Amino acid sequence: MSAQDPQIIYDFKSIEEKWQNSWLSNATYKISPDSDKEKYYVLEMFPYPSGRIHMGHVRNYSIGDVVARYKRFRGFNVLHPMGWDSFGLPAENAAIKNDTHPARWTYDNIDYMRNQLRKLGLSYDWDREIATCNPKYYKWEQQIFLEMYEKDLVYQKTTTVNWCETCHTVLANEQVIEGTCWRCDELVEARKMNGWFFKITEYAEELLTDLDKLSGWPEKVVTMQRNWIGKSTGLQCDFEVVGLDEKLSIFTTRPDTIFGVTFMSIAPEHPLLESLLENNPQELKIRDFITKIITEKQQQSNQDVVEKEGIATGCFCINPYNGDEIPIYVANFVLMGYGTGAVMAVPAHDQRDFEFARKYNLSIKPVVIPEDTPLNGKTMVEASTAPGVLADSGDFTGIDSKSAKQAIIDFAKSNNFGDSHITYRLRDWGISRQRYWGAPIPMVQCEKCGVQAVPVDQLPVTLPEDRGSQQNDCAPLHQRTSFIETSCPKCGGKARRETDTMDTFVESSWYFARYTSPRFTEAPLNKKEASHWLPVDQYIGGVEHAILHLLYSRFFTKVLRDLGYLDIDEPFTNLLTQGMVIKDGSKMSKSKGNVVDPSDLIGEYGADTTRLFSLFAAPPEKDLEWNPKGVEGCHRFLNRIFRFVQTHLNTISGDHEEFPATLNPSERELHRKTHQTIKRVTGNIEHNFHFNTAISAVMELFNTLSGLTGGKKKDEIAAPFLSEAVDAILILLCPMVPHFCSELWTTVYGETKSIETIPWPTWDEEAAKEDELTIVIQVRGKVRSRLQVPADIDDATIETLALKDENALKFIGDAAIKKVIVVKKKLVNIVI
RNA sequence: GCCCGAAUGGCGGAACUGGUAGACGCAAGGGACUUAAAAUCCCUCGGCCUCUGGCUGUGCGAGUUCGAUUCUCGCUUCGGGCACCA
């Protein structure tokens, strides 16, 4: 029979409402600017205001809120802001569907979702809230754009871009996921279009080398970024074209194989083709072929591996190393966007070239011979990519392939036909989007003066507020004459505004910096505030942004630094990528019908239970399997604590006598467990945010507490020990279930003493120490017995005791003891 | 194809730096209370066996070690990223 009264009800609804109102009206989490406490900036990736929050948000923001609240307990001045990534296509689609305006839809959603977040009890400084679709925000983005333009970090070009027909807009390379659109999964097609680009490649090397500074990031994310940037070093050199005053430039990472070149492959879009086709008897045939493969490329998504195909141009070029005349082919697998768009083909040592050579009967000439493996071009079945010794390579014959690379590059350099070269896979970031609901690009096209920047004092260039001429759509800017028609800032003549809007990833690339001075009216950032708060100490969000958003934010940080706004190189010191929320084996989604609505859950169990379960069910970086029964378990746990405190209120809240000098066994056990728990929870949070084990530890403490005070209790426990344990439980859980702990704290100590002003508890190593240890006795590595011994026992005594142990002796039998291994305070292994 | 990561009871997950595998929670079974149910509380809970004891067990197969969930090598499966990158 329990000492607790099951009739006591934990009324989470009124408790949560009470505390949320109190936090709101007292502005509890507003930053005090002149604090002399050390700063801590914790940030969760801000949401797109899609309409309602989902479980992924709950998890993300619960994790962030625990960090924020924990750091406040530890005495930091914590910046913990929230805002809205509020430009984007869904707003336009919804506006069409619901016959409203994207702005209306977006702001309504923001109001709704803000309210939902408040019901979770998240400790944000709401005074810093920003919405990126607000002209007060994108004005500064336009200014940054112009300053980048000044610095030659923005340019316009016509190129083949990724086009998503469903979204009716261009996508950046990073937004193409396995050949499909990141947002709608539509297959992406290739299109030639004019657009604006950010020169992210200018920062490729720094983005790569600074990855080494990100020791607080998951290794996985760093690797993904490294691969995405894709640095290759090698040789760039020129092959003269026979009969033409032209050179064909190639890039290779295998200069050691250059004597094995037997043909040349160039991309169908290669600019040299025009001269090659002039007076070419095969011109029509070749043009047909080129058209064919270019259309094929457009139709196929770029993930399909297509059979290698090519056509001879009938033209030749000269290998500068040995004077060989080699045929030039147009090949479908050569990319214009990488290297120089021309590849020296070495079929003996490159699998693609090998397949191509076999198909078109071109010669295969091995020049790098691996140890003990002679190669024969006629009989090889695949390319050999192993290192080896150079053969058939002029003066370089006999050199090992590794040192030959440099020697061959040096030769090109000294003979002025080539040099070492670095190529990146990273492409410039195309930011033009053919959509209405985005930040306008602040440029105009003057009939006389050409492209002109909008002067900074004319910013912001705002979106027209009406929905345009179209009946059922939100017309893109190019259909709105009132927006387009303007005057040239230089000559005052007729000019047209740029009608593309910026990629919404531009907004999210610097919002974390704007939070440091969200209402600043003189510049994008207040340098003083930015340098005080940045970098973000802890950033938390989904791993799906490992490349996209995180790479762009790193790029923007470096740009803003070079524009003089920031004095940091990297925006996020520590990154936590949380796993997905899964139900019935797959990600929650409307189409699968396995969505759990957080609001329903909060209504049924309360915000604290919802938060507690999302933290308890898995460590943050792992996927979280949603289990409704598990939620009930967490709710039960809170209920038990609630009832315990109410039942023992008189003892706990009374005026405490001092801790007695001698402790009875129960007091000792509880006191010890309390200090052990403080130590464990603090360690779990500090070390890797493993809240799941932190919560288990508190559960253990509570189990001990209720066991020692329940029906079978042995000793009376003095009030100070009960009080110490309850205090610890409440403070340790407070970052996770803040309403609950705040309420019980005032129940015990009265309304005047807020739990948030209490320092995080410390543990006493002495108190946490066990009096007795269990020593495991193994015979030949197998556990045979256990000994209870006093904690201060020495190794020799343990050994003696172990060798006398009855169970152990049974297994030793007559055998001779070869060795006895004693592990301090843990185990004895008797080897026979 | 290449590069990462993971694999532990019926389930989610614990286990510090090589030292008691399965903490904590869920589910399940049994019991107490109740006229009954819910709630609450107590007990059992990896598998197998000849069951106060023993054998076995952390995806599979080897290895290192007195001792391996943990380290090494080779596989299998699942997840993620990149994908004709010259």
Side-chain angles (χ1 to χ4, degrees), chain A residues 187-203:
Chain A
L187 274 184
V188 165
E189 46 183 296
R191 253 194 207 191
K192 250 197 155 73
M193 277 182 80
N194 185 39
W196 289 95
F197 286 81
F198 283 157
K199 267 194 199 165
I200 191 170
T201 53
E202 191 107 315
Y203 288 83

mmCIF file with all atom_site columns, all heavy atoms in Angstrom, chain A residues 187-203:
data_model
loop_
_atom_site.group_PDB
_atom_site.id
_atom_site.type_symbol
_atom_site.label_atom_id
_atom_site.label_alt_id
_atom_site.label_comp_id
_atom_site.label_asym_id
_atom_site.label_entity_id
_atom_site.label_seq_id
_atom_site.pdbx_PDB_ins_code
_atom_site.Cartn_x
_atom_site.Cartn_y
_atom_site.Cartn_z
_atom_site.occupancy
_atom_site.B_iso_or_equiv
_atom_site.pdbx_formal_charge
_atom_site.auth_seq_id
_atom_site.auth_comp_id
_atom_site.auth_asym_id
_atom_site.auth_atom_id
_atom_site.pdbx_PDB_model_num
ATOM 1   N N   . LEU A 1 187 ? 11.094 15.528 -61.045 1.00 0.00 ? 187 LEU A N   1
ATOM 2   C CA  . LEU A 1 187 ? 12.368 15.376 -61.756 1.00 0.00 ? 187 LEU A CA  1
ATOM 3   C C   . LEU A 1 187 ? 12.805 16.734 -62.298 1.00 0.00 ? 187 LEU A C   1
ATOM 4   O O   . LEU A 1 187 ? 12.002 17.459 -62.878 1.00 0.00 ? 187 LEU A O   1
ATOM 5   C CB  . LEU A 1 187 ? 12.210 14.404 -62.923 1.00 0.00 ? 187 LEU A CB  1
ATOM 6   C CG  . LEU A 1 187 ? 12.368 12.922 -62.619 1.00 0.00 ? 187 LEU A CG  1
ATOM 7   C CD1 . LEU A 1 187 ? 12.270 12.117 -63.906 1.00 0.00 ? 187 LEU A CD1 1
ATOM 8   C CD2 . LEU A 1 187 ? 13.703 12.642 -61.929 1.00 0.00 ? 187 LEU A CD2 1
ATOM 9   N N   . VAL A 1 188 ? 14.054 17.026 -62.109 1.00 0.00 ? 188 VAL A N   1
ATOM 10  C CA  . VAL A 1 188 ? 14.571 18.320 -62.532 1.00 0.00 ? 188 VAL A CA  1
ATOM 11  C C   . VAL A 1 188 ? 15.049 18.237 -63.976 1.00 0.00 ? 188 VAL A C   1
ATOM 12  O O   . VAL A 1 188 ? 15.644 17.248 -64.372 1.00 0.00 ? 188 VAL A O   1
ATOM 13  C CB  . VAL A 1 188 ? 15.742 18.709 -61.596 1.00 0.00 ? 188 VAL A CB  1
ATOM 14  C CG1 . VAL A 1 188 ? 16.546 19.841 -62.179 1.00 0.00 ? 188 VAL A CG1 1
ATOM 15  C CG2 . VAL A 1 188 ? 15.206 19.079 -60.226 1.00 0.00 ? 188 VAL A CG2 1
ATOM 16  N N   . GLU A 1 189 ? 14.733 19.253 -64.773 1.00 0.00 ? 189 GLU A N   1
ATOM 17  C CA  . GLU A 1 189 ? 15.229 19.239 -66.140 1.00 0.00 ? 189 GLU A CA  1
ATOM 18  C C   . GLU A 1 189 ? 16.253 20.356 -66.361 1.00 0.00 ? 189 GLU A C   1
ATOM 19  O O   . GLU A 1 189 ? 16.301 21.322 -65.606 1.00 0.00 ? 189 GLU A O   1
ATOM 20  C CB  . GLU A 1 189 ? 14.068 19.357 -67.131 1.00 0.00 ? 189 GLU A CB  1
ATOM 21  C CG  . GLU A 1 189 ? 13.062 20.423 -66.773 1.00 0.00 ? 189 GLU A CG  1
ATOM 22  C CD  . GLU A 1 189 ? 11.902 20.448 -67.753 1.00 0.00 ? 189 GLU A CD  1
ATOM 23  O OE1 . GLU A 1 189 ? 12.159 20.747 -68.934 1.00 0.00 ? 189 GLU A OE1 1
ATOM 24  O OE2 . GLU A 1 189 ? 10.767 20.162 -67.343 1.00 0.00 ? 189 GLU A OE2 1
ATOM 25  N N   . ALA A 1 190 ? 17.058 20.165 -67.410 1.00 0.00 ? 190 ALA A N   1
ATOM 26  C CA  . ALA A 1 190 ? 18.074 21.167 -67.722 1.00 0.00 ? 190 ALA A CA  1
ATOM 27  C C   . ALA A 1 190 ? 17.471 22.226 -68.629 1.00 0.00 ? 190 ALA A C   1
ATOM 28  O O   . ALA A 1 190 ? 16.750 21.909 -69.570 1.00 0.00 ? 190 ALA A O   1
ATOM 29  C CB  . ALA A 1 190 ? 19.248 20.494 -68.403 1.00 0.00 ? 190 ALA A CB  1
ATOM 30  N N   . ARG A 1 191 ? 17.739 23.495 -68.347 1.00 0.00 ? 191 ARG A N   1
ATOM 31  C CA  . ARG A 1 191 ? 17.238 24.594 -69.166 1.00 0.00 ? 191 ARG A CA  1
ATOM 32  C C   . ARG A 1 191 ? 18.284 25.673 -69.246 1.00 0.00 ? 191 ARG A C   1
ATOM 33  O O   . ARG A 1 191 ? 18.984 25.919 -68.278 1.00 0.00 ? 191 ARG A O   1
ATOM 34  C CB  . ARG A 1 191 ? 15.999 25.204 -68.511 1.00 0.00 ? 191 ARG A CB  1
ATOM 35  C CG  . ARG A 1 191 ? 14.754 24.861 -69.235 1.00 0.00 ? 191 ARG A CG  1
ATOM 36  C CD  . ARG A 1 191 ? 13.632 25.721 -68.786 1.00 0.00 ? 191 ARG A CD  1
ATOM 37  N NE  . ARG A 1 191 ? 12.424 24.936 -69.017 1.00 0.00 ? 191 ARG A NE  1
ATOM 38  C CZ  . ARG A 1 191 ? 11.190 25.432 -68.937 1.00 0.00 ? 191 ARG A CZ  1
ATOM 39  N NH1 . ARG A 1 191 ? 11.015 26.682 -68.597 1.00 0.00 ? 191 ARG A NH1 1
ATOM 40  N NH2 . ARG A 1 191 ? 10.161 24.669 -69.174 1.00 0.00 ? 191 ARG A NH2 1
ATOM 41  N N   . LYS A 1 192 ? 18.335 26.322 -70.353 1.00 0.00 ? 192 LYS A N   1
ATOM 42  C CA  . LYS A 1 192 ? 19.247 27.460 -70.472 1.00 0.00 ? 192 LYS A CA  1
ATOM 43  C C   . LYS A 1 192 ? 18.503 28.714 -70.050 1.00 0.00 ? 192 LYS A C   1
ATOM 44  O O   . LYS A 1 192 ? 17.448 29.009 -70.569 1.00 0.00 ? 192 LYS A O   1
ATOM 45  C CB  . LYS A 1 192 ? 19.697 27.590 -71.929 1.00 0.00 ? 192 LYS A CB  1
ATOM 46  C CG  . LYS A 1 192 ? 21.156 27.231 -72.107 1.00 0.00 ? 192 LYS A CG  1
ATOM 47  C CD  . LYS A 1 192 ? 21.725 27.721 -73.417 1.00 0.00 ? 192 LYS A CD  1
ATOM 48  C CE  . LYS A 1 192 ? 23.216 27.913 -73.338 1.00 0.00 ? 192 LYS A CE  1
ATOM 49  N NZ  . LYS A 1 192 ? 24.014 26.753 -73.307 1.00 0.00 ? 192 LYS A NZ  1
ATOM 50  N N   . MET A 1 193 ? 19.064 29.402 -69.059 1.00 0.00 ? 193 MET A N   1
ATOM 51  C CA  . MET A 1 193 ? 18.389 30.602 -68.584 1.00 0.00 ? 193 MET A CA  1
ATOM 52  C C   . MET A 1 193 ? 19.385 31.601 -68.049 1.00 0.00 ? 193 MET A C   1
ATOM 53  O O   . MET A 1 193 ? 20.494 31.255 -67.677 1.00 0.00 ? 193 MET A O   1
ATOM 54  C CB  . MET A 1 193 ? 17.412 30.250 -67.450 1.00 0.00 ? 193 MET A CB  1
ATOM 55  C CG  . MET A 1 193 ? 16.081 29.758 -67.954 1.00 0.00 ? 193 MET A CG  1
ATOM 56  S SD  . MET A 1 193 ? 14.984 29.432 -66.607 1.00 0.00 ? 193 MET A SD  1
ATOM 57  C CE  . MET A 1 193 ? 14.421 31.062 -66.232 1.00 0.00 ? 193 MET A CE  1
ATOM 58  N N   . ASN A 1 194 ? 18.908 32.853 -67.983 1.00 0.00 ? 194 ASN A N   1
ATOM 59  C CA  . ASN A 1 194 ? 19.726 33.912 -67.431 1.00 0.00 ? 194 ASN A CA  1
ATOM 60  C C   . ASN A 1 194 ? 19.363 34.064 -65.957 1.00 0.00 ? 194 ASN A C   1
ATOM 61  O O   . ASN A 1 194 ? 18.200 33.968 -65.596 1.00 0.00 ? 194 ASN A O   1
ATOM 62  C CB  . ASN A 1 194 ? 19.443 35.200 -68.196 1.00 0.00 ? 194 ASN A CB  1
ATOM 63  C CG  . ASN A 1 194 ? 20.348 36.309 -67.749 1.00 0.00 ? 194 ASN A CG  1
ATOM 64  O OD1 . ASN A 1 194 ? 21.530 36.074 -67.495 1.00 0.00 ? 194 ASN A OD1 1
ATOM 65  N ND2 . ASN A 1 194 ? 19.812 37.503 -67.622 1.00 0.00 ? 194 ASN A ND2 1
ATOM 66  N N   . GLY A 1 195 ? 20.374 34.281 -65.119 1.00 0.00 ? 195 GLY A N   1
ATOM 67  C CA  . GLY A 1 195 ? 20.077 34.434 -63.704 1.00 0.00 ? 195 GLY A CA  1
ATOM 68  C C   . GLY A 1 195 ? 21.235 35.024 -62.929 1.00 0.00 ? 195 GLY A C   1
ATOM 69  O O   . GLY A 1 195 ? 22.337 35.199 -63.457 1.00 0.00 ? 195 GLY A O   1
ATOM 70  N N   . TRP A 1 196 ? 20.942 35.338 -61.661 1.00 0.00 ? 196 TRP A N   1
ATOM 71  C CA  . TRP A 1 196 ? 21.955 35.918 -60.783 1.00 0.00 ? 196 TRP A CA  1
ATOM 72  C C   . TRP A 1 196 ? 22.625 34.829 -59.950 1.00 0.00 ? 196 TRP A C   1
ATOM 73  O O   . TRP A 1 196 ? 21.970 33.891 -59.504 1.00 0.00 ? 196 TRP A O   1
ATOM 74  C CB  . TRP A 1 196 ? 21.313 36.944 -59.852 1.00 0.00 ? 196 TRP A CB  1
ATOM 75  C CG  . TRP A 1 196 ? 20.890 38.177 -60.578 1.00 0.00 ? 196 TRP A CG  1
ATOM 76  C CD1 . TRP A 1 196 ? 19.654 38.454 -61.080 1.00 0.00 ? 196 TRP A CD1 1
ATOM 77  C CD2 . TRP A 1 196 ? 21.720 39.290 -60.902 1.00 0.00 ? 196 TRP A CD2 1
ATOM 78  N NE1 . TRP A 1 196 ? 19.645 39.674 -61.700 1.00 0.00 ? 196 TRP A NE1 1
ATOM 79  C CE2 . TRP A 1 196 ? 20.901 40.216 -61.604 1.00 0.00 ? 196 TRP A CE2 1
ATOM 80  C CE3 . TRP A 1 196 ? 23.062 39.619 -60.684 1.00 0.00 ? 196 TRP A CE3 1
ATOM 81  C CZ2 . TRP A 1 196 ? 21.388 41.434 -62.075 1.00 0.00 ? 196 TRP A CZ2 1
ATOM 82  C CZ3 . TRP A 1 196 ? 23.538 40.827 -61.147 1.00 0.00 ? 196 TRP A CZ3 1
ATOM 83  C CH2 . TRP A 1 196 ? 22.712 41.721 -61.836 1.00 0.00 ? 196 TRP A CH2 1
ATOM 84  N N   . PHE A 1 197 ? 23.927 35.003 -59.763 1.00 0.00 ? 197 PHE A N   1
ATOM 85  C CA  . PHE A 1 197 ? 24.711 34.004 -59.040 1.00 0.00 ? 197 PHE A CA  1
ATOM 86  C C   . PHE A 1 197 ? 25.552 34.635 -57.943 1.00 0.00 ? 197 PHE A C   1
ATOM 87  O O   . PHE A 1 197 ? 26.078 35.735 -58.126 1.00 0.00 ? 197 PHE A O   1
ATOM 88  C CB  . PHE A 1 197 ? 25.647 33.266 -60.014 1.00 0.00 ? 197 PHE A CB  1
ATOM 89  C CG  . PHE A 1 197 ? 24.929 32.293 -60.896 1.00 0.00 ? 197 PHE A CG  1
ATOM 90  C CD1 . PHE A 1 197 ? 24.257 32.740 -62.032 1.00 0.00 ? 197 PHE A CD1 1
ATOM 91  C CD2 . PHE A 1 197 ? 24.907 30.940 -60.600 1.00 0.00 ? 197 PHE A CD2 1
ATOM 92  C CE1 . PHE A 1 197 ? 23.569 31.849 -62.838 1.00 0.00 ? 197 PHE A CE1 1
ATOM 93  C CE2 . PHE A 1 197 ? 24.225 30.039 -61.405 1.00 0.00 ? 197 PHE A CE2 1
ATOM 94  C CZ  . PHE A 1 197 ? 23.553 30.498 -62.529 1.00 0.00 ? 197 PHE A CZ  1
ATOM 95  N N   . PHE A 1 198 ? 25.646 33.946 -56.822 1.00 0.00 ? 198 PHE A N   1
ATOM 96  C CA  . PHE A 1 198 ? 26.608 34.322 -55.784 1.00 0.00 ? 198 PHE A CA  1
ATOM 97  C C   . PHE A 1 198 ? 27.881 33.528 -56.004 1.00 0.00 ? 198 PHE A C   1
ATOM 98  O O   . PHE A 1 198 ? 27.822 32.309 -56.221 1.00 0.00 ? 198 PHE A O   1
ATOM 99  C CB  . PHE A 1 198 ? 26.060 33.975 -54.389 1.00 0.00 ? 198 PHE A CB  1
ATOM 100 C CG  . PHE A 1 198 ? 25.018 34.930 -53.876 1.00 0.00 ? 198 PHE A CG  1
ATOM 101 C CD1 . PHE A 1 198 ? 24.125 34.521 -52.903 1.00 0.00 ? 198 PHE A CD1 1
ATOM 102 C CD2 . PHE A 1 198 ? 24.941 36.234 -54.340 1.00 0.00 ? 198 PHE A CD2 1
ATOM 103 C CE1 . PHE A 1 198 ? 23.160 35.392 -52.405 1.00 0.00 ? 198 PHE A CE1 1
ATOM 104 C CE2 . PHE A 1 198 ? 23.973 37.109 -53.848 1.00 0.00 ? 198 PHE A CE2 1
ATOM 105 C CZ  . PHE A 1 198 ? 23.084 36.685 -52.880 1.00 0.00 ? 198 PHE A CZ  1
ATOM 106 N N   . LYS A 1 199 ? 29.012 34.220 -55.903 1.00 0.00 ? 199 LYS A N   1
ATOM 107 C CA  . LYS A 1 199 ? 30.302 33.557 -56.143 1.00 0.00 ? 199 LYS A CA  1
ATOM 108 C C   . LYS A 1 199 ? 30.762 32.758 -54.931 1.00 0.00 ? 199 LYS A C   1
ATOM 109 O O   . LYS A 1 199 ? 31.769 33.091 -54.304 1.00 0.00 ? 199 LYS A O   1
ATOM 110 C CB  . LYS A 1 199 ? 31.360 34.616 -56.476 1.00 0.00 ? 199 LYS A CB  1
ATOM 111 C CG  . LYS A 1 199 ? 31.527 34.860 -57.952 1.00 0.00 ? 199 LYS A CG  1
ATOM 112 C CD  . LYS A 1 199 ? 32.804 35.649 -58.204 1.00 0.00 ? 199 LYS A CD  1
ATOM 113 C CE  . LYS A 1 199 ? 32.745 36.294 -59.584 1.00 0.00 ? 199 LYS A CE  1
ATOM 114 N NZ  . LYS A 1 199 ? 33.769 37.344 -59.727 1.00 0.00 ? 199 LYS A NZ  1
ATOM 115 N N   . ILE A 1 200 ? 30.033 31.712 -54.631 1.00 0.00 ? 200 ILE A N   1
ATOM 116 C CA  . ILE A 1 200 ? 30.427 30.893 -53.483 1.00 0.00 ? 200 ILE A CA  1
ATOM 117 C C   . ILE A 1 200 ? 31.754 30.172 -53.779 1.00 0.00 ? 200 ILE A C   1
ATOM 118 O O   . ILE A 1 200 ? 32.532 29.883 -52.867 1.00 0.00 ? 200 ILE A O   1
ATOM 119 C CB  . ILE A 1 200 ? 29.294 29.911 -53.085 1.00 0.00 ? 200 ILE A CB  1
ATOM 120 C CG1 . ILE A 1 200 ? 29.588 29.238 -51.734 1.00 0.00 ? 200 ILE A CG1 1
ATOM 121 C CG2 . ILE A 1 200 ? 29.048 28.873 -54.162 1.00 0.00 ? 200 ILE A CG2 1
ATOM 122 C CD1 . ILE A 1 200 ? 28.417 28.447 -51.174 1.00 0.00 ? 200 ILE A CD1 1
ATOM 123 N N   . THR A 1 201 ? 32.031 29.965 -55.058 1.00 0.00 ? 201 THR A N   1
ATOM 124 C CA  . THR A 1 201 ? 33.283 29.263 -55.407 1.00 0.00 ? 201 THR A CA  1
ATOM 125 C C   . THR A 1 201 ? 34.518 30.089 -55.023 1.00 0.00 ? 201 THR A C   1
ATOM 126 O O   . THR A 1 201 ? 35.578 29.531 -54.784 1.00 0.00 ? 201 THR A O   1
ATOM 127 C CB  . THR A 1 201 ? 33.360 28.956 -56.918 1.00 0.00 ? 201 THR A CB  1
ATOM 128 O OG1 . THR A 1 201 ? 33.142 30.162 -57.649 1.00 0.00 ? 201 THR A OG1 1
ATOM 129 C CG2 . THR A 1 201 ? 32.312 27.943 -57.321 1.00 0.00 ? 201 THR A CG2 1
ATOM 130 N N   . GLU A 1 202 ? 34.340 31.402 -54.945 1.00 0.00 ? 202 GLU A N   1
ATOM 131 C CA  . GLU A 1 202 ? 35.437 32.253 -54.498 1.00 0.00 ? 202 GLU A CA  1
ATOM 132 C C   . GLU A 1 202 ? 35.899 31.846 -53.097 1.00 0.00 ? 202 GLU A C   1
ATOM 133 O O   . GLU A 1 202 ? 37.021 32.053 -52.705 1.00 0.00 ? 202 GLU A O   1
ATOM 134 C CB  . GLU A 1 202 ? 34.944 33.703 -54.472 1.00 0.00 ? 202 GLU A CB  1
ATOM 135 C CG  . GLU A 1 202 ? 36.003 34.727 -54.277 1.00 0.00 ? 202 GLU A CG  1
ATOM 136 C CD  . GLU A 1 202 ? 36.263 35.471 -55.586 1.00 0.00 ? 202 GLU A CD  1
ATOM 137 O OE1 . GLU A 1 202 ? 36.362 34.819 -56.637 1.00 0.00 ? 202 GLU A OE1 1
ATOM 138 O OE2 . GLU A 1 202 ? 36.350 36.689 -55.542 1.00 0.00 ? 202 GLU A OE2 1
ATOM 139 N N   . TYR A 1 203 ? 34.953 31.278 -52.327 1.00 0.00 ? 203 TYR A N   1
ATOM 140 C CA  . TYR A 1 203 ? 35.236 30.890 -50.946 1.00 0.00 ? 203 TYR A CA  1
ATOM 141 C C   . TYR A 1 203 ? 35.433 29.375 -50.799 1.00 0.00 ? 203 TYR A C   1
ATOM 142 O O   . TYR A 1 203 ? 35.481 28.871 -49.688 1.00 0.00 ? 203 TYR A O   1
ATOM 143 C CB  . TYR A 1 203 ? 34.097 31.349 -50.034 1.00 0.00 ? 203 TYR A CB  1
ATOM 144 C CG  . TYR A 1 203 ? 34.085 32.859 -49.817 1.00 0.00 ? 203 TYR A CG  1
ATOM 145 C CD1 . TYR A 1 203 ? 33.500 33.711 -50.742 1.00 0.00 ? 203 TYR A CD1 1
ATOM 146 C CD2 . TYR A 1 203 ? 34.696 33.420 -48.691 1.00 0.00 ? 203 TYR A CD2 1
ATOM 147 C CE1 . TYR A 1 203 ? 33.508 35.086 -50.553 1.00 0.00 ? 203 TYR A CE1 1
ATOM 148 C CE2 . TYR A 1 203 ? 34.702 34.789 -48.488 1.00 0.00 ? 203 TYR A CE2 1
ATOM 149 C CZ  . TYR A 1 203 ? 34.101 35.621 -49.429 1.00 0.00 ? 203 TYR A CZ  1
ATOM 150 O OH  . TYR A 1 203 ? 34.119 36.974 -49.228 1.00 0.00 ? 203 TYR A OH  1
#
